[in-house]
Amino acid sequence: QIQPRSPDPARMLRDGSADLVIEPTAIMGEVSLPSQRLFTDRWLCCVWEGNSQVGDLLSLQTYLRLGHVVYSMSAGVPTSIVDTYLARRALPRRVEFTVESFLLAPAILQGTDLATLVLERAVPLLRRTAAIRLLEPPLRLPPINQTLWWSPHRTTDPALAWVRAKIGEIAAGLDAPE
């Protein structure tokens, strides 16, 4: 059973309401749970291909002036990993829409001058669903380390060990972004 994202995935693993969680290390924080790093990804700025406010390069001034579509880590949590990072640098962005999945964000950009951030590994899928243009972010953003976490109480469960191994094999076989 796949469950919606949780504002406290570590608690779900500790109390047994979830066996496995795939989350970036930035979301999980400094938890002491068994884990396996799956892959690293990076952020790209994404706009509708007809965006009239963005040229071939995106300046920080333009980036901060644009309205943004963001996806939160879960319902009821209004900020994303990037917003936490920007807040530390005192760089607020204008959030105009919040969606539950980054897969929805490019569709909302259509016909607008809004911007969003997407993960580079998702670009081939996103290009099939929306007319988008991708640009390098105007500031250095930390990479995303996708990690598989599991309940310490289920470490020796043979079925879950098999699932973890399969997830690891699939992640290792993923093509690196071009």
Side-chain angles (χ1 to χ4, degrees):
Q1 178 183 17
I2 297 176
Q3 299 179 17
R5 295 181 77 191
S6 166
D8 193 355
R11 181 197 51 77
M12 292 180 69
L13 291 170
R14 286 188 186 108
D15 73 14
S17 58
D19 296 320
L20 304 169
V21 169
I22 297 174
E23 286 286 4
T25 53
I27 288 177
M28 294 295 283
E30 299 295 323
V31 298
S32 59
L33 291 167
S35 64
Q36 174 185 346
R37 194 170 129 226
L38 298 175
F39 57 84
T40 298
D41 209 341
R42 72 184 192 108
W43 297 104
L44 292 173
C45 289
C46 179
V47 297
W48 171 54
E49 68 181 15
N51 186 311
S52 64
Q53 301 297 309
V54 177
D56 292 335
L57 298 173
L58 182 59
S59 70
L60 181 58
Q61 180 182 359
T62 300
Y63 176 77
L64 296 174
R65 182 175 35 81
L66 294 172
H68 290 257
V69 178
V70 300
Y71 41 94
S72 65
M73 72 170 86
S74 64
V77 181
T79 60
S80 69
I81 295 170
V82 172
D83 290 302
T84 303
Y85 177 74
L86 293 173
R88 279 188 240 141
R89 296 191 57 194
L91 295 171
R93 58 182 174 164
R94 282 188 26 233
V95 175
E96 293 191 12
F97 290 92
T98 303
V99 294
E100 289 183 16
S101 169
F102 73 92
L103 296 173
L104 297 173
I108 292 174
L109 299 176
Q110 303 307 289
T112 75
D113 285 335
L114 298 169
T116 194
L117 290 165
V118 297
L119 294 172
E120 186 175 26
R121 287 179 180 269
V123 167
L125 173 64
L126 299 175
R127 282 199 162 130
R128 289 195 304 264
T129 61
I132 57 173
R133 194 159 40 106
L134 299 156
L135 302 126
E136 289 296 323
L139 68 161
R140 188 178 174 282
L141 296 171
I144 295 293
N145 295 306
Q146 288 290 2
T147 303
L148 172 65
W149 309 83
W150 59 90
S151 171
H153 308 295
R154 304 289 302 271
T155 296
T156 59
D157 182 305
L160 287 175
W162 180 86
V163 170
R164 290 192 311 266
K166 287 297 176 193
I167 290 170
E169 286 174 26
I170 291 167
L174 292 174
D175 291 334
E178 297 176 4

